[in-house]
Amino acid sequence: MEKTYSVVFYSKTLVEPVKKLKDSLKSKINWYNSCNSEAHITICEFTIDESEFDSIKKKLSKISNTFTPFPVSLDHFDSFQNSGAFFIGVTKDSENNLVPIMKKIHETFKFLKLKKSDNPHMSIGRRLTPENLKIASELFTAINLEFECNEIVLREFDPKVKQFFVIDAFAFGSNPEPEFVQGSLF
């Protein structure tokens, strides 16, 4: 049986403050896409047969071991007008730390049909109408959130609830892979 999964950056410390933002927007515009989704920064999403699950987990564990924890700061609101997404953006320093990890994970899973995110951001709402984007941008003007990025998280999509739920976390091991050095015989 096929199931859908996502790999994300996630921090329990951000779940409640971001939920308050989402609830505030929901009180103004009613239900919207992502209003019930827990705070996260998407890396990728894919659908696989259950038989591939253990292999995926092993790859995530191996790759996570090579990453070193770092702080992430989210300091502004922005939107993708074309998709109706309203989000919290990361600082340039945070982006410079997140993007290489995202690319490495995309590369590791290039054999899957991935929905990739190349632009680290934390969605407040998706598929918002232009009117609702305007309401969100007027409602939220200043933000300053931080978390320690020390793991990547695997989430499974529950088709009944239409939400992703955390099923596993892969801690950063601070063990960069050694570079291959061509040795000499003499």
Side-chain angles (χ1 to χ4, degrees):
M1 185 172 129
E2 286 197 329
K3 291 187 176 181
T4 300
Y5 299 93
S6 68
V7 179
V8 303
F9 297 109
Y10 175 89
S11 171
K12 283 185 173 70
T13 62
L14 296 186
V15 169
E16 200 50 43
V18 173
K19 182 180 183 333
K20 286 180 180 166
L21 296 172
K22 290 180 177 220
D23 288 348
S24 178
L25 182 59
K26 191 175 173 182
S27 74
K28 301 279 188 215
I29 67 171
N30 296 317
W31 184 91
Y32 61 89
N33 282 285
S34 294
C35 69
N36 296 319
S37 176
E38 284 192 339
H40 66 278
I41 297 173
T42 301
I43 299 170
C44 63
E45 188 180 307
F46 53 88
T47 300
I48 57 166
D49 188 87
E50 284 178 286
S51 64
E52 298 174 84
F53 185 69
D54 286 342
S55 168
I56 297 297
K57 282 180 57 168
K58 282 182 185 136
K59 286 181 187 322
L60 285 170
S61 181
K62 185 176 181 191
I63 195 170
S64 293
N65 191 42
T66 68
F67 302 137
T68 300
F70 57 92
V72 172
S73 299
L74 299 109
D75 69 347
H76 64 280
F77 292 103
D78 204 347
S79 63
F80 298 128
Q81 297 289 327
N82 58 341
S83 65
F86 185 79
F87 62 87
I88 309 169
V90 300
T91 62
K92 197 68 182 155
D93 283 348
S94 295
E95 182 179 347
N96 291 340
N97 285 320
L98 292 166
V99 168
I101 292 173
M102 295 167 84
K103 287 185 176 183
K104 180 109 180 188
I105 291 168
H106 296 160
E107 181 63 25
T108 300
F109 293 113
K110 66 183 176 195
F111 62 93
L112 297 173
K113 188 175 176 187
L114 293 180
K115 282 188 196 171
K116 299 188 281 192
S117 173
D118 298 316
N119 185 340
H121 63 281
M122 190 169 287
S123 293
I124 299 295
R126 293 180 302 116
R127 297 190 206 121
L128 299 176
T129 64
E131 298 79 27
N132 288 344
L133 273 176
K134 185 175 188 304
I135 290 168
S137 65
E138 290 170 355
L139 187 60
F140 306 120
T141 55
I143 188 81
N144 186 10
L145 297 173
E146 291 189 350
F147 71 97
E148 182 71 11
C149 187
N150 55 15
E151 65 184 6
I152 51 176
V153 168
L154 181 63
R155 304 181 316 156
E156 182 178 320
F157 186 72
D158 182 332
K160 289 187 185 83
V161 187
K162 297 199 181 320
Q163 289 293 322
F164 282 96
F165 294 97
V166 173
I167 57 169
D168 214 339
F170 303 89
F172 291 178
S174 302
N175 292 310
E177 295 174 294
E179 294 295 320
F180 179 75
V181 178
Q182 181 70 44
S184 170
L185 292 174
F186 304 102

